[in-house]
Amino acid sequence: MNLPSDDMLTTQGLLLDHTSGKVLLIGCGALAREILDLKAANNWSHLDLVCLPAILHNHPERITPAVRAAIEKHRSTYARIFVVYADCGTGGQLEALCHDMGVDMVAGPHCYSFFEGNEKFAANSESDFSAFYLTDFLVRQFDAFVWKPLGLDRHPQLREMYFGNYTKLVYQAQTDDPALTATARDCAARLGLAFERRLTGYGDLKASLAALR
């Protein structure tokens, strides 16, 4: 399977991978590889996927309008549409949109929660209050999503202002990749945070997609 590049998923998203399924997944570009892996591993040929640019997360107010446009564009073609975003900083607006348009979505406040498992994430919320999270995608795109947008490449002295209240970086690993783990550890060092790795796999994402028929 030819996977899209991380840079493309960040800035452009993913065009429809197929047009023959009964269910369309409208997802975040940061989840594209995981969704494609799950589709291939489980032979979910009834699921088609289109992804919006992952960089929308740096401007969460743009996520809901972008999802609305995607639903309106494709809804006449598919029997069912499922939104593979959590709330993702939209303040409930995305959930309200999906409800109004009769579309279901992944449960949870953000991907860090459903990758870990929403129940487990909620149970750990007090002890993880000062944690900064990265996923496989965000480890690979750390510079594009964190270091450069915050200006830390030009003004490293800003690190304390942005991350002074964090105590640890939690790397939620979807895959058991030593190279990614080493990169994540380096990200923690660059931010001056303790490092913790959790092999979450796909968490609740797999169960959410498996339920779609």
Side-chain angles (χ1 to χ4, degrees), residues 111-193:
C111 66
Y112 312 127
S113 179
F114 65 67
F115 273 141
E116 187 145 336
N118 286 317
E119 289 187 10
K120 184 176 181 180
F121 188 88
N124 292 337
S125 61
E126 187 170 336
S127 60
D128 287 348
F129 183 76
S130 60
F132 181 74
Y133 293 91
L134 294 179
T135 63
D136 282 7
F137 178 84
L138 291 174
V139 169
R140 296 192 300 265
Q141 289 292 90
F142 180 78
D143 284 346
F145 268 82
V146 180
W147 202 250
K148 291 180 179 179
L150 294 179
L152 294 171
D153 57 327
R154 303 179 303 280
H155 306 288
Q157 70 275 12
L158 295 175
R159 183 181 65 179
E160 182 64 23
M161 183 180 75
Y162 287 123
F163 294 96
N165 291 324
Y166 292 98
T167 60
K168 63 181 177 180
L169 184 150
V170 175
Y171 167 37
Q172 295 179 327
Q174 283 70 68
T175 57
D176 192 5
D177 186 328
L180 274 181
T181 298
T183 301
R185 190 182 298 276
D186 178 67
C187 293
R190 290 164 69 182
L191 296 178
L193 302 176

Side-chain angles (χ1 to χ4, degrees), residues 26 65-77 81 97 101 103:
I26 297 177
V67 171
R68 178 192 294 275
I71 293 172
E72 291 174 343
K73 179 178 179 180
H74 297 290
R75 71 182 314 165
S76 64
T77 309
I81 291 177
L97 169 72
M101 300 188 78
V103 171

